[in-house]
Amino acid sequence: MMPLRNILFIMHVFILLGLLVFLGCSNRKTVDRELFTFEEGKIENIPLDNETSKSNLEYQFYEKNNNKFFYLLSSSSKKIIVYDWITKAILNKINLIEEGPDGVGHPNDFFVKSPDSIYILSRYLYRLSLINSKGTVIDKYRLLPSETPFDEKQLSRPPSKYGYTALPTAGNAKSGDIIDDGKLITLLCDPNLNHMNYEEYYKHAKNILIYDKKTKNITYSLPFPDIYKNNLFYPTQYDWRYRTYNPRKNKAIVSFPADNNIYEMDINGSNIKAIMANSMYFDEVKPMSAPVNNPEDRFKHAVNNFYYGGIYYDKFKEIYYRLVNHPMNVEGDIRNTKLKSFETSIIVLSKNYKILGEIKIPKKYFSGVAFVNSEGIYLKKMTTSDDSLPFVLLKYKPRINKQ
């Protein structure tokens, strides 16, 4: 009869082998958990005229009733160019005036509610203007509480409890849509705190501005997540916030570069719900070990670490895309380094925020500019050409039936 010691040894071996097999299966399930793939589609080139520089541009795709338009805001030339998406022909050029009855200030961002209702944001004037397709101002909204003094002629920054107020920003990557339900206007911006005082900024700042069109009252919602409050040394590149809008639920969804969660909320700023939507490639975005004033060092920390990019709702497929920027691993002085494009992955979530998977995409895409239409998600293609803006289609393809 086999000694008990040998039997116990064999049992331990089998248990260890079973554990290894289990772990192997678990890892394989993590790597192969994608229920979908992305198929690369055609490249769409948006032509640029001689007056339009590739810098200081904002984009939006507009699609309704089989009409597809591409809107381009050039802050430097102060105009909006409207393209037919199919033919790429220019349909309209809306010249934006800074001063006077139809003045919108310096245009920093925009949102197309409809072809004849376009919002223009002027950060320096704390003003949101609603114009029609001819550039005529329909309405104006002051993005400061009524009791806050502000001299538009001198562009003085209004005072606040924690220092001068920050200029409002509506988000980037065209993921900060302005929502107008007829009663309320909500923006992804924070015009009430000093960005340079990070300890107070992260503890007290709110990230959503809600403007009541009837009372003209302004309220703020959505504080920074705890990960920002407990780690005050994130570089300024992690201050971006991203938002998308689900019209079926009438909900706004907000994402922060340094937070694994996304946040669902009503457009009036209530019922905030944190939802885990983490990447499988890292556990947590790394803060800096100490405050650093040098902007190059802050930027270097950002590009050498993981962080989250924009979030987009695909209303046609009822899914969400969350972009993830991977480290560039830049060494030496970043000022003398030719930066390559990020390696990017895309997390896909179901309409109920279940993670369906995460897939890496080629480095030839620039994940900082993206939009969604009925075909899929478009990312800007890396190029040195000044004649056009190329966008590459990534078509979401489920591998199994819908969940």
Side-chain angles (χ1 to χ4, degrees), residues 356-375:
L356 300 179
E358 180 176 6
I359 290 181
K360 283 187 180 181
I361 59 175
K363 294 182 181 180
K364 59 185 176 182
Y365 306 129
F366 176 60
S367 62
V369 178
F371 61 87
V372 173
N373 66 15
S374 55
E375 296 177 289

CSV table of all heavy atoms in Angstrom, one decimal, residues 356-375:
chain,number,residue,atom,x,y,z
A,356,LEU,N,-18.1,44.4,-22.6
A,356,LEU,CA,-18.1,43.3,-23.6
A,356,LEU,C,-16.7,42.9,-24.1
A,356,LEU,O,-16.5,41.9,-24.7
A,356,LEU,CB,-18.9,43.8,-24.9
A,356,LEU,CG,-20.4,44.2,-24.6
A,356,LEU,CD1,-21.1,44.6,-25.9
A,356,LEU,CD2,-21.2,43.0,-24.0
A,357,GLY,N,-15.7,43.8,-23.8
A,357,GLY,CA,-14.4,43.5,-24.1
A,357,GLY,C,-13.6,44.7,-24.4
A,357,GLY,O,-14.1,45.8,-24.3
A,358,GLU,N,-12.3,44.5,-24.8
A,358,GLU,CA,-11.4,45.6,-25.1
A,358,GLU,C,-10.4,45.1,-26.1
A,358,GLU,O,-9.8,44.0,-26.0
A,358,GLU,CB,-10.6,46.0,-23.8
A,358,GLU,CG,-9.6,47.1,-24.0
A,358,GLU,CD,-9.0,47.5,-22.7
A,358,GLU,OE1,-9.3,46.9,-21.6
A,358,GLU,OE2,-8.2,48.5,-22.7
A,359,ILE,N,-10.2,45.9,-27.2
A,359,ILE,CA,-9.4,45.5,-28.3
A,359,ILE,C,-8.4,46.6,-28.6
A,359,ILE,O,-8.8,47.8,-28.6
A,359,ILE,CB,-10.2,45.2,-29.5
A,359,ILE,CG1,-11.0,43.9,-29.3
A,359,ILE,CG2,-9.4,45.1,-30.8
A,359,ILE,CD1,-11.9,43.5,-30.5
A,360,LYS,N,-7.1,46.3,-28.8
A,360,LYS,CA,-6.1,47.2,-29.2
A,360,LYS,C,-6.3,47.5,-30.7
A,360,LYS,O,-6.7,46.7,-31.5
A,360,LYS,CB,-4.7,46.7,-29.0
A,360,LYS,CG,-4.2,46.7,-27.6
A,360,LYS,CD,-2.8,46.3,-27.5
A,360,LYS,CE,-2.3,46.3,-26.1
A,360,LYS,NZ,-0.8,46.0,-26.0
A,361,ILE,N,-6.0,48.8,-31.1
A,361,ILE,CA,-6.1,49.2,-32.5
A,361,ILE,C,-4.8,49.7,-32.9
A,361,ILE,O,-3.9,50.1,-32.0
A,361,ILE,CB,-7.2,50.3,-32.7
A,361,ILE,CG1,-6.9,51.5,-31.8
A,361,ILE,CG2,-8.6,49.7,-32.3
A,361,ILE,CD1,-7.9,52.6,-32.1
A,362,PRO,N,-4.5,49.8,-34.2
A,362,PRO,CA,-3.1,50.2,-34.7
A,362,PRO,C,-2.8,51.6,-34.2
A,362,PRO,O,-3.6,52.5,-34.0
A,362,PRO,CB,-3.3,50.1,-36.2
A,362,PRO,CG,-4.4,49.2,-36.4
A,362,PRO,CD,-5.3,49.4,-35.3
A,363,LYS,N,-1.5,51.9,-34.2
A,363,LYS,CA,-0.9,53.2,-33.8
A,363,LYS,C,-1.2,54.3,-34.8
A,363,LYS,O,-0.9,55.4,-34.5
A,363,LYS,CB,0.6,53.0,-33.5
A,363,LYS,CG,0.9,52.2,-32.3
A,363,LYS,CD,2.4,52.2,-32.0
A,363,LYS,CE,2.8,51.3,-30.9
A,363,LYS,NZ,4.2,51.2,-30.6
A,364,LYS,N,-1.6,53.9,-36.0
A,364,LYS,CA,-1.7,54.9,-37.0
A,364,LYS,C,-2.9,55.8,-36.8
A,364,LYS,O,-3.2,56.8,-37.5
A,364,LYS,CB,-1.8,54.3,-38.4
A,364,LYS,CG,-3.0,53.3,-38.5
A,364,LYS,CD,-3.0,52.6,-39.9
A,364,LYS,CE,-4.1,51.6,-40.0
A,364,LYS,NZ,-4.0,50.9,-41.3
A,365,TYR,N,-3.7,55.5,-35.8
A,365,TYR,CA,-4.9,56.3,-35.4
A,365,TYR,C,-4.6,57.3,-34.3
A,365,TYR,O,-3.8,57.0,-33.4
A,365,TYR,CB,-6.1,55.5,-35.0
A,365,TYR,CG,-6.4,54.4,-36.0
A,365,TYR,CD1,-6.6,53.1,-35.5
A,365,TYR,CD2,-6.6,54.6,-37.3
A,365,TYR,CE1,-6.9,52.1,-36.4
A,365,TYR,CE2,-7.0,53.7,-38.2
A,365,TYR,CZ,-7.1,52.4,-37.8
A,365,TYR,OH,-7.4,51.4,-38.6
A,366,PHE,N,-5.2,58.5,-34.4
A,366,PHE,CA,-5.1,59.5,-33.3
A,366,PHE,C,-6.4,59.4,-32.5
A,366,PHE,O,-7.4,59.8,-33.0
A,366,PHE,CB,-4.9,60.9,-33.9
A,366,PHE,CG,-4.8,61.9,-32.8
A,366,PHE,CD1,-3.9,61.9,-31.8
A,366,PHE,CD2,-5.7,63.0,-32.9
A,366,PHE,CE1,-3.8,62.9,-30.9
A,366,PHE,CE2,-5.7,64.0,-31.9
A,366,PHE,CZ,-4.7,64.0,-30.9
A,367,SER,N,-6.3,59.0,-31.3
A,367,SER,CA,-7.5,58.7,-30.5
A,367,SER,C,-8.1,60.0,-29.9
A,367,SER,O,-9.1,60.0,-29.2
A,367,SER,CB,-7.2,57.7,-29.3
A,367,SER,OG,-6.2,58.2,-28.5
A,368,GLY,N,-7.3,61.1,-30.0
A,368,GLY,CA,-7.8,62.4,-29.4
A,368,GLY,C,-9.0,63.0,-30.2
A,368,GLY,O,-9.6,63.9,-29.7
A,369,VAL,N,-9.2,62.5,-31.4
A,369,VAL,CA,-10.3,63.0,-32.2
A,369,VAL,C,-11.2,61.9,-32.7
A,369,VAL,O,-10.6,61.0,-33.4
A,369,VAL,CB,-9.8,63.9,-33.4
A,369,VAL,CG1,-11.0,64.4,-34.2
A,369,VAL,CG2,-9.0,65.1,-32.9
A,370,ALA,N,-12.4,61.8,-32.3
A,370,ALA,CA,-13.3,60.7,-32.8
A,370,ALA,C,-14.7,61.1,-32.8
A,370,ALA,O,-15.1,62.1,-32.2
A,370,ALA,CB,-13.1,59.5,-31.8
A,371,PHE,N,-15.5,60.4,-33.6
A,371,PHE,CA,-16.9,60.6,-33.6
A,371,PHE,C,-17.6,59.3,-34.0
A,371,PHE,O,-17.0,58.4,-34.6
A,371,PHE,CB,-17.3,61.8,-34.5
A,371,PHE,CG,-17.0,61.6,-35.9
A,371,PHE,CD1,-17.8,61.0,-36.8
A,371,PHE,CD2,-15.8,62.1,-36.4
A,371,PHE,CE1,-17.5,60.8,-38.2
A,371,PHE,CE2,-15.4,62.0,-37.8
A,371,PHE,CZ,-16.3,61.3,-38.6
A,372,VAL,N,-18.9,59.3,-33.8
A,372,VAL,CA,-19.7,58.1,-34.1
A,372,VAL,C,-20.8,58.4,-35.0
A,372,VAL,O,-21.4,59.5,-34.9
A,372,VAL,CB,-20.3,57.5,-32.8
A,372,VAL,CG1,-21.2,56.3,-33.1
A,372,VAL,CG2,-19.2,57.0,-31.8
A,373,ASN,N,-21.0,57.5,-36.0
A,373,ASN,CA,-22.2,57.6,-36.8
A,373,ASN,C,-22.8,56.2,-37.0
A,373,ASN,O,-22.4,55.3,-36.3
A,373,ASN,CB,-21.9,58.3,-38.2
A,373,ASN,CG,-21.0,57.6,-39.1
A,373,ASN,OD1,-20.8,56.4,-38.9
A,373,ASN,ND2,-20.4,58.2,-40.1
A,374,SER,N,-23.8,56.1,-38.0
A,374,SER,CA,-24.5,54.8,-38.1
A,374,SER,C,-23.5,53.7,-38.6
A,374,SER,O,-23.9,52.5,-38.5
A,374,SER,CB,-25.6,55.0,-39.1
A,374,SER,OG,-25.2,55.5,-40.3
A,375,GLU,N,-22.4,54.1,-39.1
A,375,GLU,CA,-21.5,53.1,-39.7
A,375,GLU,C,-20.6,52.5,-38.6
A,375,GLU,O,-20.1,51.4,-38.6
A,375,GLU,CB,-20.6,53.7,-40.8
A,375,GLU,CG,-21.4,54.1,-42.0
A,375,GLU,CD,-20.5,54.7,-43.0
A,375,GLU,OE1,-20.1,55.9,-42.8
A,375,GLU,OE2,-20.3,54.1,-44.1
